[in-house]
Amino acid sequence: MTKQNRTILLQKINTKRLSTIWNDFKEALAGSSQDYTQIPLGRAVFLLAIPMVLEMVMESVFAVADIYFVGRLGADAVATVGITESVLTIIYAIAFGLSMATTALVSRRIGEKNKTEASKEGMQAIIAGSLISLLIAIPGVVFAKDLLQLMGASPAIINELSAYTSIMFGGNLVIMLLFINNAIFRGAGDAAIAMRVLWIANGLNIILDPLLIFGIGPFPELGIAGAAIATNIGRGIAVAYQLYVLWKGNGRVSFSSIPLTIDWQRIAKLIKISLGGIAQSLIATSSWIFLVRIISNFGSEVLAGYTIGIRIILFSLLPSWGLSNAAATLVGQNLGAQESGRAEKAVWGVARINLIFLGGLSILFIIYPHWFVGLFTTDETVLNAGIQCLRIISYGFAFYGIGMVMTQAFNGAGDTRTPTRINIIAFWMIEIPLAYIMAIQLGFQQEGAFYAIIIAEGCMTLLAAWLFKKGRWKKEAV
């Protein structure tokens, strides 16, 4: 074969590969009906990861856009969002645990080729989440000011900005159902539907935020309360769309032929699995609450800078959570299909992709943190605190990339106990004591707390990878 013929052949091969990738990309966005336990593993990862990553990209755009608009109201408004979200993480933890269990149950049933049972698991998850959210809403609204005071908020925040906290707690049902419903779609492999849902929710939120915060056009100027209302409207409409799709009956999971009744036995099984997920999330998020409490000792401006820095970090980590969710779905479905080796191979492959992605992103944040933080504030004290937070925590991105995939793999298998134990060690035994000692006792202030975060995350990743390699998760029955 001549050199010219080899060149032509390589061009044809590359053209064919690009065409295949493009076709798979379009299929991933439109929604794939492939059996992820049978098709080539690389293609399965691609078809699941694309919509899950894009779903999280939209979520991260919202996280940054929301704090951008709120940031125009001043440091107290940003601090209010930071304090409220640190408390709301308890709700997120419960929703995360329930959705984790839902994904494990639904994906396992789909892997077993039992769509009816998968649908029943999903319906009972929605009922359980709805009941729990109602128990949270009332005390959250009534005691909003007390919660802010407990978290060390200034008198101005407690007396003037507590409406944001009340509205967010009152609307926690949409948070709960958004998590659980999308967990059903992800577990079933209908990742494109989950992607569209968050695009709707956060797209509406981004549009409504400036209109309701600043009173543009015919809309009232509601200040920080407008941000909370915009969030609940966007998420509420998205939840309505989710429920419509689930009852319409075209996806892998369909409620159209299932009676709307409470099955306490299924709910008990769901809660049993979710307790580990709730616990691990509560452990992680409670450490965040303690960190906020520690950092609040250094003033609202420093706390505002930390809030901005964390939002930017969320912008980068949420797409990685999309990759991790793809790993969880593949683990659940392949274990259901009795393909444990394929499940393990999928996890290590996704972990490598995540490591490369976050490793590259960390370089940008370490070199140019001032540019990113400067998009959200011009206050010098807030800016410096945000830059410090972003740069230091970015040193640990490589650890986060592997660690989040490993923990989600355990959860996808239904083994929520192992990540719980890992979180106890990493966050309660390392992060919180170390942050207090370094920030308060040794006088490193907020910088000490930031270094405590990456030390704890590094320990968590090393422990998770070691336990995953031991392989006990392969024997988990759900």
Side-chain angles (χ1 to χ4, degrees):
M1 182 181 293
T2 64
K3 183 177 180 180
Q4 183 178 6
N5 288 338
R6 283 198 300 271
T7 301
I8 294 173
L9 180 59
L10 287 174
Q11 288 176 343
K12 288 181 179 179
I13 292 172
N14 289 333
T15 301
K16 186 177 180 180
R17 286 176 178 172
L18 288 174
S19 177
T20 300
I21 293 172
W22 175 243
N23 289 334
D24 284 346
F25 182 79
K26 290 190 294 183
E27 182 179 348
L29 294 184
S32 176
S33 59
Q34 299 285 347
D35 184 342
Y36 298 112
T37 66
Q38 298 295 323
I39 63 175
L41 188 55
R43 188 172 181 227
V45 171
F46 187 85
L47 290 174
L48 281 172
I50 290 297
M52 289 186 183
V53 169
L54 291 177
E55 171 191 351
M56 292 294 107
V57 165
M58 190 58 182
E59 182 73 5
S60 60
V61 168
F62 154 69
V64 174
D66 192 49
I67 205 67
Y68 173 81
F69 294 121
V70 171
R72 296 302 181 263
L73 299 176
D76 279 346
V78 176
T80 301
V81 173
I83 293 172
T84 300
E85 290 202 347
S86 69
V87 180
L88 277 175
T89 50
I90 296 174
I91 296 174
Y92 292 138
I94 296 172
F96 178 71
L98 288 171
S99 63
M100 187 186 304
T102 302
T103 296
L105 289 166
V106 171
S107 63
R108 189 70 68 96
R109 301 292 87 81
I110 291 294
E112 294 167 353
K113 311 299 186 284
N114 195 335
K115 294 182 179 180
T116 300
E117 287 297 305
S119 300
K120 290 178 180 179
E121 304 283 16
M123 177 178 285
Q124 296 309 309
I126 291 173
I127 293 172
S130 299
L131 293 174
I132 292 170
S133 68
L134 292 176
L135 297 176
I136 295 172
I138 296 174
V141 172
V142 173
F143 299 108
K145 290 186 177 181
D146 300 281
L147 288 169
L148 289 171
Q149 185 174 12
L150 183 66
M151 290 301 298
S154 66
I157 290 175
I158 295 169
N159 296 321
E160 299 173 17
L161 303 176
S162 63
Y164 178 87
T165 307
S166 296
I167 294 168
M168 291 303 294
F169 268 95
N172 83 90
L173 175 63
V174 295
I175 297 174
M176 192 74 70
L177 292 185
L178 195 66
F179 269 78
I180 292 173
N181 293 343
N182 267 3
I184 295 171
F185 293 130
R186 292 190 201 103
D190 292 324
I193 299 175
M195 175 192 69
R196 288 194 289 270
V197 165
L198 278 189
W199 281 39
I200 291 170
N202 295 329
L204 287 171
N205 198 347
I206 291 170
I207 293 171
L208 290 173
D209 250 353
L211 299 179
L212 294 176
I213 291 173
F214 306 116
I216 297 173
F219 294 90
E221 184 178 350
L222 301 176
I224 194 171
I229 293 171
T231 296
N232 282 301
I233 290 174
R235 288 175 175 171
I237 292 174
V239 167
Y241 172 71
Q242 287 175 321
L243 296 176
Y244 168 77
V245 172
L246 286 170
W247 259 277
K248 184 180 178 183
N250 290 336
R252 291 179 174 88
V253 172
S254 172
F255 298 162
S256 59
S257 59
I258 299 175
L260 182 58
T261 57
I262 298 179
D263 185 336
W264 293 110
Q265 187 174 359
R266 287 185 188 275
I267 289 177
K269 180 175 66 174
L270 172 80
I271 292 176
K272 182 181 179 182
I273 296 173
S274 69
L275 284 177
I278 293 170
Q280 66 183 263
S281 189
L282 281 175
I283 292 164
T285 53
S286 65
S287 72
W288 184 34
I289 293 174
F290 280 110
L291 283 172
V292 169
R293 186 66 184 88
I294 290 170
I295 293 170
S296 68
N297 287 307
F298 310 116
S300 289
E301 289 81 6
V302 171
L303 182 57
Y306 169 71
T307 301
I308 291 172
I310 287 296
R311 281 297 184 100
I312 296 171
I313 289 166
L314 284 177
F315 183 90
S316 60
L317 292 185
L318 281 173
S320 291
W321 275 112
L323 283 167
S324 303
N325 288 335
T329 296
L330 287 169
V331 167
Q333 291 196 8
N334 280 287
L335 288 181
Q338 305 297 315
E339 293 284 351
S340 60
R342 180 181 166 91
E344 182 175 5
K345 187 177 179 181
V347 172
W348 287 114
V350 173
R352 283 192 294 270
I353 296 170
N354 217 12
L355 173 64
I356 294 169
F357 169 68
L358 285 182
L361 200 58
S362 68
I363 295 173
L364 287 178
F365 287 162
I366 291 168
I367 298 175
Y368 304 110
H370 54 280
W371 187 87
F372 292 98
V373 179
L375 293 173
F376 306 99
T377 183
T378 55
D379 184 291
E380 186 175 353
T381 305
V382 175
L383 182 66
N384 289 336
I387 288 171
Q388 191 178 47
C389 172
L390 182 59
R391 175 176 282 135
I392 292 172
I393 295 178
S394 293
Y395 292 143
F397 269 24
F399 285 118
Y400 312 153
I402 299 173
M404 63 176 63
V405 175
M406 295 296 146
T407 54
Q408 279 298 86
F410 287 121
N411 293 327
D415 177 13
T416 57
R417 299 178 305 279
T418 297
T420 301
R421 298 186 187 106
I422 293 171
N423 282 1
I424 289 174
I425 295 170
F427 298 117
W428 282 4
M429 297 176 68
I430 298 175
E431 184 176 83
I432 295 173
L434 192 59
Y436 179 78
I437 291 170
M438 293 179 70
I440 305 296
Q441 297 295 319
L442 298 180
F444 289 109
Q445 299 188 344
Q446 68 272 10
E447 185 177 0
F450 300 155
Y451 276 111
I453 292 173
I454 63 173
I455 292 170
E457 291 285 352
C459 293
M460 182 198 72
T461 297
L462 293 173
L463 183 56
W466 177 66
L467 291 172
F468 179 80
K469 196 165 181 62
K470 291 182 70 174
R472 292 181 182 175
W473 54 273
K474 298 175 182 179
K475 302 175 182 178
E476 192 71 24
V478 298

